[in-house]
Amino acid sequence: MTAVNTVLVVGAGLAGTSTAILLASRGVAVDLVEITAGVGGVGSGITLQGNALRVLRDLGVWAAVRAEGYCFDSLGLRAPDPAGTLLAEIPDARTGGPDLPATVGMPRPALARILVDRAREAGAKVHFGRSVTELTEHGAVTFSDGSTGRYDVVVGADGIRSATRGLLGIDARTRATGMGIWRAFGPRPALVTRTDLYYGGPSYIAGYCPTGEDSLYAYVVEAAQNRGFLTPDERLATLRKLASAYHGPWDEIRETLVDPARVNYTWFETHVLPPPWHRGRVVLIGDAAHACPPTLAQGGAQALEDAAVLAELLLAADALDDELWTAFTERRYARAKAVVDASNQLGQWLLDGERGDVPGLMREIATLVTPTA
């Protein structure tokens, strides 16, 4: 018998659904609550590197992810010139091990649906349109519908604006990095078979990632601006104008970006909570504990790793004591912080106009997250 029989997971994103799956599949009674009304997935697409795929395989969803996503094993670097010249094609590190592809791109809503379906199959009770309004460090909870509960552990996996964190009185000190990103979802031209990145030009980064046989998401990173006053048509026009500076496959991609509803704009934000990430029986994981800009495409992977480590420790523990929480901190804090720091460093080089060692930084993080055995 483990020390954990009942768990509340707050937030049905990557970290939350993964935790629910891993615990419920081992017989733990799991309630998964999500404030939104149904399965969603903010943004247009997601890039999943090998260390994320390793966890998804352990969750039992790798076959579904592979079927709905697009696998590739290299990264292209292109020049912001009139030809979109290919400067380099770099073999991407297989950070999940040799039996998994280096990278999979897929639509965020598809991944969200796959994980929620698997959580239900594993036995978790999923409650959409419900949130936590009161919470104690002892696991006593009041929900937005007036119901109450008491749990052995509460997992706050409710994102960068975590309400769970707020209820615990923890200040995350989230800050904007100075960059904003335009994203759009559209059809995949035949030329696009991997992620290509264009550094420089009038924007900091322009890129794209295939997300399926017939889909991709494309993005342009600029200096953070107040874009909230733009109408949907103006947002689309702004993205198309920024993208007009980039060529090669971008010329075909740009012509397919015609639906304003498929364009969104957000700022890059970041934080890392100092340890410990728990208060009593309540623990924070994923973006609630650490968030980074997508410059290294590791945010989702780090959320999945949090879930895997937490579930492993909870299922093995015979007591919820300091030893357990110390082990969680030792395995996750330094690793997640290194990823956040590197993601921010890459962006800061661009903001400062410095020629940093981008390939070296990418190799450093790939080595960090690659299994050693």
Side-chain angles (χ1 to χ4, degrees):
M1 293 291 292
T2 69
V4 179
N5 296 298
T6 60
V7 172
L8 171 66
V9 179
V10 185
L14 289 183
T17 50
S18 301
T19 303
I21 292 165
L22 292 166
L23 295 177
S25 63
R26 291 284 300 275
V28 176
V30 177
D31 284 334
L32 173 61
V33 298
E34 166 58 44
I35 193 171
T36 61
V39 177
V42 177
S44 51
I46 186 169
T47 301
L48 299 165
Q49 295 184 350
N51 55 320
L53 303 179
R54 186 171 69 244
V55 179
L56 292 169
R57 182 177 58 191
D58 292 342
L59 297 173
V61 299
W62 166 232
V65 167
R66 181 174 52 195
E68 297 211 30
Y70 192 97
C71 304
F72 53 98
D73 294 306
S74 64
L75 173 71
L77 298 178
R78 290 184 179 268
D81 62 21
T85 303
L86 180 63
L87 301 173
E89 182 177 358
I90 305 168
D92 216 347
R94 290 177 176 262
T95 58
D99 54 342
L100 288 168
T103 311
V104 170
M106 69 182 303
R108 281 182 180 269
L111 180 58
R113 173 180 48 76
I114 288 168
L115 290 172
V116 168
D117 287 349
R118 176 70 183 108
R120 287 187 169 123
E121 178 188 357
K125 296 180 179 178
V126 183
H127 308 273
F128 285 103
R130 182 184 291 187
S131 60
V132 174
T133 57
E134 296 180 28
L135 172 66
T136 74
E137 295 181 6
H138 304 293
V141 176
T142 301
F143 297 103
S144 54
D145 60 4
S147 62
T148 61
R150 183 176 289 274
Y151 299 87
D152 295 330
V153 171
V154 176
V155 180
D158 46 346
I160 195 168
R161 311 263 182 255
S162 173
T164 306
R165 193 176 62 222
L167 290 170
L168 293 173
I170 298 173
D171 181 6
R173 301 187 183 278
T174 301
R175 66 173 180 86
T177 71
M179 289 180 167
I181 184 168
W182 290 95
R183 293 183 175 97
F185 193 66
R188 181 184 71 86
L191 284 172
V192 176
T193 58
R194 59 163 186 259
T195 287
D196 285 338
L197 297 174
Y198 302 63
Y199 288 103
S203 300
Y204 293 115
I205 308 170
Y208 41 77
C209 174
T211 55
E213 286 302 317
D214 302 313
S215 67
L216 62 64
Y217 79 98
Y219 45 90
V220 176
V221 178
E222 64 171 9
Q225 301 178 49
N226 179 11
R227 299 291 198 177
F229 63 89
L230 297 178
T231 68
D233 285 340
E234 289 170 336
R235 288 198 295 269
L236 175 61
T238 301
L239 172 57
R240 286 174 59 93
K241 181 179 179 179
L242 291 170
S244 67
Y246 302 97
H247 300 285
W250 256 113
D251 290 327
E252 189 172 351
I253 293 169
R254 190 168 50 251
E255 295 307 308
T256 69
L257 302 180
V258 296
D259 185 355
R262 291 187 150 199
V263 175
N264 68 71
Y265 182 74
T266 57
W267 285 10
F268 288 173
E269 295 181 284
T270 186
H271 69 250
V272 181
L273 289 185
W277 291 347
H278 77 286
R279 301 293 187 273
R281 293 172 175 262
V282 184
V283 62
L284 301 171
I285 64 172
D287 281 356
H290 49 83
C292 58
T295 46
L296 290 173
Q298 270 290 315
Q302 293 307 300
L304 288 163
E305 288 187 0
D306 281 357
V309 171
L310 178 64
E312 176 191 330
L313 292 172
L314 290 176
L315 290 168
D318 54 14
L320 289 172
D321 54 19
D322 288 343
E323 183 178 348
L324 182 149
W325 298 121
T326 298
F328 182 62
T329 297
E330 288 178 347
R331 289 180 60 179
R332 291 305 305 150
Y333 173 71
R335 184 180 176 100
K337 186 176 185 301
V339 169
V340 172
D341 288 348
S343 300
N344 287 327
Q345 178 63 80
L346 195 155
Q348 196 62 50
W349 282 334
L350 295 171
L351 286 164
D352 294 341
E354 295 184 12
R355 187 181 292 276
D357 183 8
V358 175
L361 191 63
M362 290 180 172
R363 284 194 300 271
E364 178 183 334
I365 295 304
T367 299
L368 175 69
V369 301
T370 300
T372 57

